[in-house]
């Protein structure tokens, strides 16, 4: 069974207690369990990784790119947190492992928030984007990723 990778960036380990008015009361462990259940329902394993360190996230993307080539990893759902708005290096990492599909997800509607959250370095490299559905967005992102994977397989 192929694996989907769930990546969460900085401060997302604090989900559940971090600004609950913005991010809700669901913890990262809850999100990971919810994504695992969704992935399994759709016939995939889920591997989850969170880091507050840009380089560790980049290493995971590179590793996913290698595992995509062997068929072990089918795609990635990634909430890059604040690195979304700062990291050319993450854009380069995702661009460098194409055609590995990476779905960018944000819990909050970043476009309804501060201006510095309106620009994403990641979006131009993403296969799809889910924004503003709260933590339910992770489920939508997994479902969307699986549809993209199926469409790519059908296209050969
Ligand atoms: C976030 C939005 C980012 O602007 C913020 O820095 C985060 C979380 C979200 O999921 O809504 O850490 O990615």
């Amino acid at each position: 069974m192929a694996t989907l990778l769930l990546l969460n960036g900085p401060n997302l380990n604090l989900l559940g207690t971090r600004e609950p008015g913005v991010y809700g009361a669901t913890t990262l462990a809850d999100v990971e369990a919810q994504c695992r259940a969704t992935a399994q329902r759709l016939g995939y394993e889920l591997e989850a990784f969170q880091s507050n360190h840009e380089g560790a996230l980049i290493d995971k993307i590179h590793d996913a790119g290698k595992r995509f080539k062997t068929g072990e990893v089918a795609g990635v759902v990634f909430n890059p947190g604040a690195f979304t708005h700062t990291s050319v290096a993450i854009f380069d990492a995702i661009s460098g492992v194409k055609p590995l599909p990476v779905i960018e997800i944000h819990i909050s509607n970043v476009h309804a928030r501060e201006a510095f959250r309106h620009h994403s370095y990641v979006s131009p490299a993403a296969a799809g984007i889910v924004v503003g559905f709260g933590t339910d967005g992770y489920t939508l992102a997994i479902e969307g990723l699986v549809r993209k994977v199926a469409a790519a397989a059908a296209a050969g």
Side-chain angles (χ1 to χ4, degrees):
M1 198 185 282
T3 296
L4 306 179
L5 183 63
L6 171 66
L7 281 185
N8 277 289
N11 301 307
L12 291 160
N13 53 311
L14 299 180
L15 275 182
T17 56
R18 169 195 188 198
E19 300 182 77
V22 177
Y23 298 113
T26 306
T27 66
L28 182 60
D30 294 335
V31 165
E32 291 176 352
Q34 166 194 318
C35 287
R36 184 158 291 113
T38 305
Q40 285 176 353
R41 170 168 60 78
L42 298 171
Y44 290 86
E45 297 287 356
L46 187 99
E47 227 173 85
F49 179 78
Q50 186 277 332
S51 179
N52 296 319
H53 304 278
E54 193 174 11
L57 295 163
I58 290 169
D59 287 345
K60 275 284 171 192
I61 292 164
H62 292 175
D63 187 53
K66 285 187 196 139
R67 294 167 74 198
F68 179 73
K69 285 190 183 151
T70 66
E72 191 193 339
V73 165
V76 179
V77 167
F78 187 15
N79 185 344
F83 291 147
T84 306
H85 318 299
T86 62
S87 182
V88 175
I90 287 178
F91 166 79
D92 282 348
I94 297 170
S95 303
V97 296
K98 279 192 183 301
L100 169 73
V102 176
I103 307 295
E104 176 185 354
I105 187 247
H106 300 288
I107 299 165
S108 64
N109 178 0
V110 286
H111 299 290
R113 299 181 63 194
E114 302 96 324
F116 63 81
R117 295 185 204 276
H118 296 179
H119 177 259
S120 168
Y121 281 101
V122 175
S123 295
I129 307 164
V130 175
V131 173
F133 286 90
T135 52
D136 285 348
Y138 285 96
T139 300
L140 300 174
I142 297 270
E143 289 174 348
L145 173 60
V146 168
R147 285 179 186 225
K148 291 250 179 209
V149 169

